[in-house]
Amino acid sequence: MTRQTRPSLVFPLRALGRAALLVAVAWLLSVPPQRLVTIGPPQAVQTRNPKMGVHTRLTDEVEEWKIQRTLEMVREMGAPWVVEYFPWAYSEPRPGRYDWRRADLIVDHALAQGLRVIARIDFVPEWARPPETTFRHLDPEHYGDYARFVAAFAAHFAGRVDHIIIWNEPNLSFEWGYRLPDPAAYTELLRQSYLAIKAVAPEVQVLAAGLAPTMAPPGSEWGMDDLLYLEAMYAAGAGPYFDGLAMHAYGFTFPHDDPPARDQVNYRRVELLREIMVAHGDADKPAYITEGGWNDHPRWAKAVRPYQRLLYTIGAYEWALHEWDWCEAVAFWAFRYPWDQRTYQDYYAFVTPDFVPKPLYTDLANYAQGRPYEYLEEGP
Amino acid sequence: MRPTRRFLVLGGLAAAAALALLLGLLWATRQRTTREAWGAIQARGVMRVGMDASYPPFAWVDEAGSFHGLDVALARALAMRWGVEVALVNVHFDGLYDALYTERVDLLLSALPYDRMLTRDVLYSQPYFAAGQVLLVPQGDAITASPGDLRGGVVAVEMGATAHQLARTLDRDRGLAWQVRAFRELDEAARAVAQGEAHALLCDRVSALALLATYPLRLAGEPLTDEPFVIAVRPDSPRLLREVNAALVEWRADGTLERLTHAWLAP
C-alpha cells in the first residue's frame, strides 16, 4: 500500500507564527515604555524660613521615582530652593545636538514640588577640550561653545529656571582643569555667557560662580584666595556681567556666628565677599549661597560632631534670615547622593541614598515647621 | 607561474602597510611603557604620593609643616623599599583623583575607600585597612560576638553618626529589640558602656581602636560593614600596582602592617 502525502501546513504556519512574533517584539521595542511616575499635582513648600535651600545631586540619579522622592523630601523639610548641577556634556554630547530630556525631568519634578531651581552648569564635553584633560578644562577658543550652550539652556528653561551659575569654583586649579586659576580668563567666560543668555532670555539671572573659600597663598598651584580672586574679577571688568553672586559658605570647625576675618574660613566669610561687592558698586545685586554647611565625618580635621552640625546648620539658616538682607537663598551641600560615596562627602548629606532621614533632616523639618526638636535639646 | 608586475606592487604595498602597522604598535607600546608610573618613579628617584593630610590618624600636617600618620608611614616605607625619595603632595580630597589622572602624583595613599564606580578609571591595591562599623563591649563580656548576641539589649551610639543609622537599621531588619541610646559625644557613649549603662557601643573601627586605649572595652567580632582602604594608581601603571601589592602582602605576612596600624591608630 502506498501512502499518499499531502503538502504539509506545519511549515508555513510555523513561519507565519515566527514572523508574527518578530513583529510583536519589534513593536514592543519601538514603543516607549509607559511612565511609571507621574509629576503629580503642584505642591507648595511650607516653611518659616523662605531662604532655606539645599544643593541636590540628581545628576547621576537613574530612577525617576528617586528624583521625585528626593525633591518631595526637600519640600517636606521646608526648603523652597534647590541648586542642581546640569552637566554641559550630558545635554550637548555632540556640538549643537541638545538633549534636554534628563534636565527636563529634574526641573519638572522640582517645579511640581513648589521648588525654585538654581542651575549650575559646567562639565566640558570631550569634543570641546583636548584629549587627556579633565572635564573642567576649557580653553578660550571654546568659551563661545559654552556661552552658546548656557544660552540654549536659558532659552529652553525660560520661565522654569530663573538663575544660572556660570561655572563652579574657578579659583581652584582642579576646577579649572588643573591649571592656575585665572580671574581674567574666567571673567571673559562670564562676559560671553552673560551676553549670550541675555540675548535669548533677558529675564534669567546670571550668577557669577561660587568661589571656593580658601586662603591659598599667592602663587599656589592649587588655588587662589577667594577674596583676591573676586577683587581680580572686578579688576578684569566682571562687574557688568553678572546679576548676582553665588557664594560658598562652609563653616568647617567654626560655629555659624563665628565672626568673619580674612585669615579665617568660616560660614560668615561670605560677608567679606559682600563687602567687596559693595565696594565695587554692586550693593543692589543679591547673593545666593549655593554651597555650604558643615560636615560630620568622624576623622576629617575640618569636620564637627553630628550634634554640632545640627546646631550650626539651624543657626546658619536663622542667621541668613535675620542678618543678611542681601542674601536670597542658602542652599547647603548636599541633600542626598544617589549612592554612598564612601568618602567624607557622605557626611554632608541630609538623608541617606535610600531616603532614611538623618537627625539633621528631622530637626531641620521641625525647625521649618515650628515643631519641637526631636534631637536638639534647645535651638541655637 | 611567474608573478606579475601588478602582483609585486600590491604585495609590496601590503608589506609596507604591515610594517607601518607593526611600527605603530611598537610606538604605542613604548608610549604606554613610558607612561607607566613605576618606570617614572625609578627614573626620577622620587615617588610622588597624593594625599589629603587632614585625616588624622591617617595623615595630617603639624604646625611645622611635617606630615604624620599611618598613610605617611606607609608611603615612606614604600619609598624605602624601592630605594627612592618620597614627595608627599597635599591635595584636597575632591582633587585627588584628578591629580592622579593628570600625572601630578604617581599614586594615591589617603585613607582612600574602595570605590566600585571608579574601577575603570584607576587600579586599586589590596586593602591595607578595614574601616567598617564595629561593636565594642565591656571586657568582662566574654560572650558577645555579633549583633544577635545583644538581643533586647541597650546599644550606645553617637547621635547622628553612621553607627546611629546602622543600629536602627539592624534593629529593624533583624528584629533585635534593641534600645538604641544616642549620646552627643562618642566618649559619653563609651563611658556608658564601660560603666554598665549600656551593653555595647556601635562605632567605626578607627574610633574604636582609639577608645580601646582609654576604656576597658573589647572588640566583639568582625566589622559589621565592609569599608576597605586601598591605594590607587593609574590604569597605565600595572607594574606599580604589582609592586604595591607585593609590599602589602609581605607586610601583612611579617606583621609590619599590623605594627604600623597599631602604632598610629591605637597608641
Side-chain angles (χ1 to χ4, degrees), chain A residues 186-301:
Chain A
Y186 173 70
T187 297
E188 176 57 18
L189 178 66
L190 181 65
R191 187 187 71 81
Q192 291 190 28
S193 303
Y194 181 90
L195 295 174
I197 289 172
K198 292 297 177 183
V200 296
E203 70 286 359
V204 168
Q205 300 296 291
V206 178
L207 308 187
L211 302 173
T214 172
M215 297 182 300
S220 166
E221 65 171 313
W222 303 107
M224 183 172 171
D225 184 298
D226 48 339
L227 306 177
L228 299 178
Y229 193 97
L230 184 60
E231 288 279 11
M233 279 174 57
Y234 275 110
Y241 302 114
F242 62 98
D243 302 309
L245 181 64
M247 295 177 169
H248 291 178
Y250 287 97
F252 296 111
T253 57
F254 303 100
H256 60 279
D257 54 358
D258 194 49
R262 288 195 76 92
D263 59 350
Q264 184 89 296
V265 175
N266 58 14
Y267 177 65
R268 289 178 56 197
R269 185 174 176 85
V270 294
E271 292 177 20
L272 304 180
L273 292 170
R274 182 65 187 170
E275 285 177 10
I276 294 170
M277 290 177 71
V278 173
H280 287 275
D282 275 347
D284 292 337
K285 286 183 185 173
Y288 303 78
I289 291 175
T290 54
E291 276 189 31
W294 284 262
N295 184 289
D296 56 18
H297 187 281
R299 281 174 299 285
W300 189 27

Side-chain angles (χ1 to χ4, degrees), chain B residues 59-230:
Chain B
W60 76 96
V61 182
D62 65 19
E63 290 184 355
S66 301
F67 287 73
H68 305 277
L70 175 62
D71 290 343
V72 176
L74 285 172
R76 288 180 175 144
L78 283 174
M80 184 178 293
R81 176 186 174 93
W82 298 337
V84 295
E85 298 292 313
V86 63
L88 301 174
V89 183
N90 196 0
V91 185
H92 187 275
F93 200 96
D94 292 347
L96 279 175
Y97 282 105
D98 277 356
L100 185 68
Y101 301 148
T102 55
E103 303 186 23
R104 300 293 184 97
V105 298
D106 301 309
L107 57 85
L108 302 180
L109 212 174
S110 189
L112 199 67
Y114 172 83
D115 188 339
R116 63 188 171 84
M117 306 297 288
L118 294 177
T119 51
R120 285 195 306 180
D121 303 310
V122 295
L123 300 176
Y124 285 126
S125 73
Q126 295 183 9
Y128 64 90
F129 183 76
Q133 301 291 317
V134 295
L135 279 170
L136 286 177
V137 296
Q139 284 179 349
D141 172 358
I143 297 171
T144 302
S146 72
D149 297 331
L150 291 164
R151 192 172 299 277
V154 179
V155 176
V157 294
E158 182 184 13
M159 191 279 287
T162 302
H164 190 178
Q165 194 56 52
L166 179 64
R168 292 195 297 195
T169 305
L170 287 171
D171 180 38
R172 181 195 65 195
D173 294 350
R174 300 191 191 178
L176 297 172
W178 279 357
Q179 182 190 336
V180 178
R181 281 191 63 190
F183 293 82
R184 281 173 58 163
E185 302 285 342
L186 190 57
D187 268 315
E188 287 178 50
R191 201 174 304 120
V193 178
Q195 294 173 349
E197 296 167 19
H199 296 100
L201 166 66
L202 188 58
C203 67
D204 68 276
R205 185 162 171 253
V206 179
S207 301
L209 292 176
L211 290 171
L212 287 175
T214 309
Y215 299 97
L217 305 173
R218 70 169 180 86
L219 282 167
E222 296 297 309
L224 305 179
T225 56
D226 183 27
E227 295 175 35
F229 285 177
V230 290

